[in-house]
């Protein structure tokens, strides 16, 4: 059930209750009271549905434009969170006695020199075409060929590149995938597969030897789509796909088909009806220039602390975290068919988790002397770009990393349906599962458990450092990574049930005499319930990538000992540079390689170890 929508709050978000909380904290300090206040089992009754929802509503409002990384709106969100921490009376725990931990991301800017010419005719940017955010910044020219949907999927008996030589050429491809609206399709029908994404099609084209790729919207499944260009938002960029990539209007591309006696709609109709690719030379020459310089921007983790009351334990920390960034006005991570320019509100992903951190921080601030260990409340930026904020923190911690006893992560906790909840990572310490089972007796959720912490969100960064973690997640839904993930769909009462479990876990972690023991979950294959950064591939490799690394290839933070990669001898610190004979330039390449692999494949893998190449064979297993 969704909570009623309140009036929109200001960026400061100051409430009477928040001022009262800060006053209580201040009075404690003045009085010098050091008596540890015992928290009753009912202290979670102070959790507020209304306060929780106000945070979600503001963070997911139109005014914050989806909180894209590198945008002014993400900065506004960070200031809102810091103001809440300040009003609750929490201590700054970021850089230089502030609430902010700064780190840099690589972002995209649009230069003025992009160009597209077809057969010598110059097209108009933002009218006939637009460079895509993941394009390589380069200039290329060569023959133009049509490569159908641009998909190579052996498991689905489909390959648009079969018999087509595209080396040194520019490919033109349809967006989406065959039989998109047919629920009986060998693809997923109305639910797109990973083969349909811009990025995967660009990588596939590059790996077949293409130097450029042009996308057009397929006409039959999207006849009423506006064909007008929506200028790409000049915001945070993304990984460079290693190929010049542009989107152009269907009307302009149709001329290329007509010149060789073909009709673009008929071509698609035959492909979909016969389920047989059609690829051919368009007898045209193209020149593509993408002027897309990458620059660095500073964004922030927002961190606040409540010091512990026990002198012997206050130097140990319990982390309560969530990411607050989202997709802004749409990017290649969106699952909307036409995402660019639309606000991706990110109410569940992850205003819901951020609001949870704020509500727990408010609740804990009312009992500032009740926790023996110190509490670290943390909201991360850069998660949607690949766990960048949490990865930065664990490699540049503002408290000694060895003093962090545990980390609780909340990502997408706002859509509890039928009382179902997933809690991952309960195997990273022996008592975690029994604790949650005990706490749930008074909450009444139907919980599914996963032992490992190798999937989904920012807890991965902590688990890779052998810190016990728990990840609370109310599961995926149809609005995930779409503009329709709005606050009116949030089940605030369900989120409060989740926060009750989290609050009880925090209390147990902060008051137990012994810190939790870390247990490595070996050969733990990622669950099917993955959150914001879930990969979606169906084979299991077993590495934990370093999401913040800018090396060419994929740096492994860790490799699970009993995984396919571990059994082949790969280790943390290795840099993956080749997979199955294909060059791996970044994490997107690696994800694509896994997406196009099959269970049981024996894959030749090359890594750099201590500056030297090492070649091994890895036998891929099934994800479970």
């Amino acid at each position: 059930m969704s909570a009623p929508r309140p009036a929109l709050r200001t960026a400061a978000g100051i409430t009477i209750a928040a001022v009262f909380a800060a006053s209580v904290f201040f009075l404690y300090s003045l009085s010098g009271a050091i008596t540890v206040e015992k928290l009753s089992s009912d202290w979670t009754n102070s959790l507020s549905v209304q306060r929780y929802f106000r945070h979600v509503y503001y963070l997911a409002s139109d005014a914050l434009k989806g909180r894209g990384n590198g945008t002014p709106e993400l900065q506004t969100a960070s200031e809102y969170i810091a103001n809440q921490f300040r009003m609750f009376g929490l201590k700054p725990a970021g850089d230089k006695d502030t609430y902010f931990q700064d780190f840099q991301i690589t972002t995209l800017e649009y230069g003025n020199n992009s160009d597209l010419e077809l057969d010598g005719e110059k097209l108009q940017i933002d009218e006939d075409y637009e460079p895509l955010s993941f394009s390589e910044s380069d200039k290329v020219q060569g023959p133009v060929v049509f490569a159908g949907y641009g998909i190579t999927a052996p498991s689905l008996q489909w390959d648009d590149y079969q018999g087509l030589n595209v080396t040194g050429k520019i490919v033109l491809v349809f967006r989406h995938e065959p039989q998109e609206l047919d629920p009986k399709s060998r693809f997923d029908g109305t639910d797109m597969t990973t083969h349909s994404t811009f990025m995967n099609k660009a990588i596939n084209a590059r790996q077949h030897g293409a130097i450029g790729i042009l996308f057009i919207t397929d006409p039959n499944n999207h006849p009423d789509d506006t064909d007008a260009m929506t200028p790409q938002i000049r915001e945070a960029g993304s990984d460079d796909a290693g190929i010049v990539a542009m989107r152009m209007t269907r009307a302009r591309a149709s001329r290329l088909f007509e010149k060789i006696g073909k009709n673009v709609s008929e071509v698609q109709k035959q492909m979909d009806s016969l389920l047989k690719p059609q690829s051919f030379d368009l007898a045209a020459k193209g020149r593509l220039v993408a002027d897309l310089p990458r620059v660095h921007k500073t964004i922030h983790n927002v961190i606040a602390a409540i010091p512990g009351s026990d002198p012997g334990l206050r130097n140990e920390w319990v982390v309560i975290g969530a990411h607050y960034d989202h997709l802004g006005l749409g990017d290649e991570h969106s699952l909307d068919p036409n995402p660019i320019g639309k606000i991706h509100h990110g109410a569940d992903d992850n205003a819901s988790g951020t609001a949870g951190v704020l509500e727990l921080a408010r609740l804990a601030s009312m009992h500032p002397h009740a926790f023996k260990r110190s509490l670290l409340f943390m909201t991360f930026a850069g998660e949607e770009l690949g766990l960048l904020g949490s990865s930065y923190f664990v490699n540049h911690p503002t408290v000694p990393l060895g003093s962090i006893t545990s980390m609780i992560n909340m990502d997408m906790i706002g859509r509890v349906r039928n009382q179902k909840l997933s809690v991952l990572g309960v195997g990273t310490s022996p008592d975690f599962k029994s604790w949650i089972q005990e706490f749930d007796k008074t909450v009444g959720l139907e919980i599914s458990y996963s032992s490992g912490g190798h999937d989904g969100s920012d807890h991965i960064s902590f688990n890779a450092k052998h810190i016990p973690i728990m990840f609370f997640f109310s599961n995926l839904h149809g609005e995930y990574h779409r503009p329709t993930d709005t606050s009116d769909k949030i089940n605030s009462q369900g989120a409060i049930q989740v926060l009750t479990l989290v609050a009880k876990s925090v209390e147990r972690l902060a008051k137990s005499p012994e810190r939790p023991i870390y247990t490595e979950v070996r050969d733990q294959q990622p669950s099917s319930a993955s959150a914001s950064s879930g990969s979606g591939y169906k084979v299991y490799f077993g590495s934990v990538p370093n999401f913040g690394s800018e090396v060419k290839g994929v740096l492994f933070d860790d490799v699970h000992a009993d995984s396919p990669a571990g059994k082949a001898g790969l280790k943390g610190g290795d840099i993956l540079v080749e997979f199955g004979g294909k060059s791996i330039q970044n994490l997107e390449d690696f994800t694509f390689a896994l997406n196009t692999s099959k269970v049981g494949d024996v894959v030749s893998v090359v890594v750099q170890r201590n500056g030297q190449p090492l070649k091994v064979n890895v036998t891929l297993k099934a994800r479970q």
Side-chain angles (χ1 to χ4, degrees):
M1 180 185 299
S2 295
R5 178 176 292 191
L8 180 63
R9 306 295 296 199
T10 65
I14 301 173
T15 67
I16 293 174
V19 174
F20 177 70
S23 301
V24 170
F25 188 89
F26 180 65
L27 290 173
Y28 265 114
S29 300
L30 284 180
S31 68
I34 58 172
T35 302
V36 175
E37 178 183 345
K38 291 184 178 180
L39 293 176
S40 73
S41 60
D42 295 329
W43 77 296
T44 55
N45 289 341
S46 298
L47 288 166
S48 169
V49 170
Q50 290 76 24
R51 290 186 179 94
Y52 172 83
F53 185 70
R54 288 186 190 116
H55 296 312
V56 174
Y57 183 75
Y58 176 69
L59 292 168
S61 66
D62 287 356
L64 264 64
K65 296 182 180 178
R67 311 181 305 281
N69 284 287
T71 67
E73 290 75 24
L74 186 77
Q75 177 66 27
T76 300
S78 71
E79 292 169 355
Y80 173 85
I81 295 164
N83 282 337
Q84 296 299 306
F85 287 153
R86 185 177 297 109
M87 295 308 300
F88 299 155
L90 274 63
K91 293 173 62 68
D95 298 330
K96 300 176 181 178
D97 201 32
T98 72
Y99 292 102
F100 302 109
Q101 181 187 39
D102 298 345
F103 64 98
Q104 289 193 323
I105 59 171
T106 301
T107 66
L108 175 74
E109 291 190 353
Y110 278 66
N112 298 318
N113 298 313
S114 292
D115 194 18
L116 172 58
E117 294 181 11
L118 294 173
D119 283 342
E121 181 182 353
K122 185 180 179 70
L123 278 65
Q124 296 300 310
I125 192 169
D126 295 342
E127 181 177 332
D128 298 319
Y129 79 96
E130 61 179 357
L132 294 172
S133 64
F134 55 83
S135 173
E136 181 179 32
S137 188
D138 200 359
K139 59 180 68 175
V140 297
Q141 58 185 10
V144 182
V145 297
F146 176 64
Y149 286 96
I151 292 173
T152 299
S155 63
L156 298 172
Q157 297 84 51
W158 189 279
D159 186 2
D160 285 299
Y161 289 91
Q162 186 174 0
L164 184 69
N165 180 10
V166 300
T167 301
K169 299 177 183 179
I170 298 163
V171 297
L172 186 150
V173 303
F174 287 143
R175 293 180 58 197
H176 309 114
E177 60 191 22
Q179 295 187 331
E180 177 188 343
L181 304 181
D182 183 354
K184 297 180 180 179
S185 170
R186 70 175 66 154
F187 289 81
D188 276 358
T190 56
D191 188 12
M192 293 289 175
T193 70
T194 56
H195 299 291
S196 68
T197 66
F198 280 113
M199 179 65 81
N200 280 352
K201 292 187 180 190
I203 293 172
N204 194 33
R206 190 195 77 216
Q207 292 191 347
H208 279 88
I211 56 174
I213 185 168
L214 296 168
F215 292 89
I216 63 170
T217 301
D218 43 306
N220 299 328
N221 293 331
H222 300 274
D224 298 326
D225 262 14
T226 175
D227 210 21
M229 293 291 102
T230 302
Q232 285 274 359
I233 310 307
R234 276 62 170 172
E235 294 179 351
S238 55
D239 286 333
D240 181 340
I243 185 172
V244 177
M246 297 181 175
R247 183 169 77 97
M248 65 180 296
T249 63
R250 187 168 58 217
R252 185 60 188 81
S254 294
R255 300 182 199 175
L256 300 178
F257 288 79
E258 293 165 0
K259 189 181 70 171
I260 60 172
K262 292 183 180 290
N263 177 280
V264 65
S265 295
E266 287 299 319
V267 169
Q268 187 193 8
K269 186 180 297 183
Q270 291 185 37
M271 294 170 69
D272 283 14
S273 61
L274 300 176
L275 267 184
K276 183 178 180 181
Q278 287 198 35
S279 302
F280 44 80
D281 194 329
L282 286 166
K285 300 288 185 181
R287 178 176 179 271
L288 280 60
V289 180
D291 182 17
L292 302 169
R294 262 72 181 178
V295 298
H296 288 91
K297 285 188 178 181
T298 298
I299 59 177
H300 323 281
N301 295 326
V302 190
I303 313 174
I306 293 180
S309 61
D310 188 320
L313 296 177
R314 71 164 55 107
N315 290 327
E316 295 183 356
W317 296 86
V318 177
V319 173
I320 305 98
H323 76 90
Y324 69 98
D325 63 306
H326 196 51
L327 305 184
L329 298 182
D331 63 15
E332 71 274 13
H333 302 293
S334 172
L335 296 179
D336 185 81
N338 297 287
I340 302 302
K342 299 178 183 177
I343 296 175
H344 286 58
H345 298 86
D348 192 26
D349 185 16
N350 186 33
S352 70
T354 303
V357 170
L358 292 175
E359 180 58 8
L360 289 173
R362 182 192 69 84
L363 186 68
S365 74
M366 305 299 290
H367 306 272
H369 300 287
F371 303 96
K372 294 181 179 181
R373 290 186 177 84
S374 298
L375 305 183
L376 202 63
F377 293 92
M378 188 176 307
T379 61
F380 305 104
E383 192 270 355
E384 299 288 5
L385 299 180
L387 314 186
L388 299 188
S390 56
S391 179
Y392 185 84
F393 175 82
V394 298
N395 287 295
H396 305 85
T398 59
V399 300
L401 194 66
S403 68
I404 297 176
T405 67
S406 51
M407 189 270 183
I408 294 178
N409 185 32
M410 293 175 285
D411 194 345
M412 298 176 65
I413 64 168
R415 295 289 294 275
V416 173
R417 287 151 291 166
N418 301 317
Q419 294 293 96
K420 295 183 184 297
L421 177 72
S422 292
V423 182
L424 289 73
V426 295
T428 60
S429 194
D431 295 326
F432 281 179
K433 185 175 180 179
S434 62
W435 287 0
I436 300 299
Q437 290 172 329
E438 172 192 340
F439 302 150
D440 192 47
K441 290 177 181 178
T442 58
V443 176
L445 290 171
E446 184 180 331
I447 300 176
S448 61
Y449 298 94
S450 176
S451 295
H454 315 309
D455 205 21
S457 186
D458 289 299
H459 57 278
I460 296 173
S461 300
F462 290 81
N463 187 55
K465 300 296 185 180
H466 291 184
I467 294 170
I469 62 94
M470 282 187 277
F471 172 35
F472 291 79
F473 170 51
S474 62
N475 299 305
L476 295 175
H477 47 74
E479 283 73 43
Y480 170 66
H481 275 204
R482 290 177 170 87
T484 50
D485 180 12
T486 49
S487 57
D488 58 299
K489 300 180 180 72
I490 293 295
N491 176 2
S492 297
Q493 188 60 58
I496 293 299
Q497 289 179 285
V498 178
L499 291 180
T500 301
L501 294 177
V502 176
K504 291 177 180 292
S505 301
V506 170
E507 181 180 358
R508 182 69 58 86
L509 288 164
K511 295 177 71 174
S512 296
E514 303 296 330
R515 63 186 292 168
I517 299 170
Y518 177 77
T519 304
E520 182 178 3
V521 180
R522 294 192 169 191
D523 203 16
Q524 173 65 30
Q525 300 172 35
S527 74
S528 59
S530 61
S532 313
S533 296
S535 60
Y537 42 81
K538 296 180 180 179
V539 297
Y540 177 52
F541 187 77
S543 60
V544 178
N546 182 308
F547 295 94
S549 171
E550 294 190 0
V551 301
K552 186 173 182 179
V554 176
L555 172 64
F556 296 152
D557 263 353
D558 195 13
V559 174
H560 309 308
D562 287 349
S563 70
K567 291 177 179 177
L570 300 183
K571 302 177 180 179
D574 289 344
I575 301 173
L576 177 68
V577 295
E578 187 177 304
F579 185 100
K582 302 293 186 181
S583 172
I584 300 297
Q585 299 185 17
N586 50 43
L587 188 57
E588 298 286 358
D589 280 357
F590 185 30
T591 300
F592 176 81
L594 292 175
N595 274 327
T596 53
S597 299
K598 302 189 302 295
V599 173
D601 283 352
V602 179
V603 182
S604 173
V605 169
V606 178
V607 299
Q608 291 285 336
R609 180 178 293 173
N610 300 323
Q612 299 297 318
L614 173 66
K615 185 174 183 179
V616 299
N617 290 326
V618 178
T619 303
L620 301 177
K621 295 176 62 175
R623 285 169 61 93
Q624 295 179 355

